[in-house]
Amino acid sequence: MVTTRLLRIAAVLAMAAPLACASDSIAWDDPTPLPPAVAAEARLAFDGGALAGQSASAVVPARVAGQCVGSVRVAGDSVTGWYAVWWEAQPDSTAHVMVARSRDGLRWDPAIRVDTMDAGRVGCRRPPPSIAADGQNVHVAYGMAAREGPGIFASHSMDEGVMFHSPVAVVYGERIGHTAIAARGDLVAVVYEDPNAAQPRVGLAFSHTMAHLFQVRQVVSPPTGPARAPDVAIGDGKLAVAWSRGAATDTTPRFVRIGVLP
């Protein structure tokens, strides 16, 4: 118990330190409604310098034993290859984060375990993980009750999903929610339903070092209403974060903020 508390205190202090550096702050515009044409698509994206939507991939691996229904998320394209992430339930009702690669969208390599440190015995009753692919780099984010404490975590691979680095704690907190992740070169952005907020809100962790360390942490959604089901995209010198004010449904109004990267 003492060890767990010390780990969590050290992690919180490490997370708070980058906030003191104003030069790393992201300059945000005011929240605006997400255009209907963009909101209708499954993922937020930039097309050149303009905000756009990215259709969900129809490429999904065949279900394997233990795979949680509805937890599969896919990233990539037909040029660089496809990557899928999902939860795999274990006999004791914990779950592992799994990632598999397909070079053609038809045949999938054997899945590898990204994180096996889950201690939350809730089976498949958990938000799906999120994934982003950028060339050889593959990034995943997810919320889980890890052995050192519950929170939001991220891991990445630099060799096309062959091996993933040890997970990094993005933020600790009891209320585990949805995540989204975007990557472009050394830049990685993780957005999440804040696990420590009394009212649902969306937080951001931003890295200039390929998610080895997150230098910026900010609350992005305004305090005037709830914010859920976040999404994120990285463009040329820009960052876009979107969220819903209600449940994550097609009819729920969504809003977006555009930030200028430091």
Side-chain angles (χ1 to χ4, degrees):
M1 180 65 71
V2 173
T3 300
T4 297
R5 288 179 179 173
L6 289 175
L7 284 170
R8 294 187 67 179
I9 291 171
V12 169
L13 291 174
M15 292 173 188
L19 295 176
C21 185
S23 62
D24 281 336
S25 297
I26 298 171
W28 296 98
D29 65 3
D30 293 330
T32 59
L34 198 61
V38 176
E41 301 292 346
R43 287 296 312 272
L44 199 63
F46 279 101
D47 185 3
L51 194 62
Q54 185 179 56
S55 298
S57 169
V59 179
V60 179
R63 190 181 177 211
V64 296
Q67 186 185 88
C68 292
V69 176
S71 73
V72 180
R73 296 294 183 267
V74 178
D77 55 46
S78 58
V79 176
T80 60
W82 301 94
Y83 300 90
V85 63
W86 64 84
W87 287 110
E88 182 182 271
Q90 303 301 302
D92 62 355
S93 293
T94 62
H96 296 168
V97 181
M98 309 294 293
V99 167
R101 184 192 184 195
S102 173
R103 291 166 176 78
D104 57 9
L106 299 174
R107 295 173 296 274
W108 290 84
D109 296 340
I112 66 169
R113 290 177 171 85
V114 175
D115 196 332
T116 62
M117 299 296 287
D118 177 45
R121 300 179 185 275
V122 296
C124 289
R125 300 189 305 277
R126 59 185 76 222
S130 52
I131 188 167
D134 178 49
Q136 292 185 327
N137 301 312
V138 186
H139 300 263
V140 295
Y142 47 93
M144 75 175 189
R147 295 172 191 171
E148 75 271 22
I152 306 299
F153 300 86
S155 180
H156 74 280
S157 168
M158 302 174 67
D159 53 9
E160 300 179 342
V162 174
M163 182 186 70
F164 279 80
H165 289 251
S166 297
V168 174
V170 177
V171 60
Y172 284 103
E174 298 291 336
R175 301 181 184 90
I176 297 171
H178 290 81
T179 65
I181 189 166
R184 183 174 182 178
D186 290 338
L187 307 181
V188 179
V190 177
V191 289
Y192 49 87
E193 296 172 343
D194 191 336
N196 296 299
Q199 174 178 268
R201 66 181 188 179
V202 170
L204 163 75
F206 188 78
S207 173
H208 299 279
T209 56
M210 205 177 290
H212 291 286
L213 177 68
F214 289 95
Q215 290 83 10
V216 179
R217 286 182 174 82
Q218 296 178 337
V219 175
V220 181
S221 59
T224 53
R228 301 181 175 89
D231 200 0
V232 63
I234 300 175
D236 187 9
K238 296 179 181 179
L239 185 70
V241 176
W243 65 86
S244 169
R245 284 189 175 173
T249 65
D250 292 341
T251 59
T252 299
R254 290 183 65 77
F255 294 81
V256 66
R257 294 188 81 173
I258 306 294
V260 177
L261 297 177

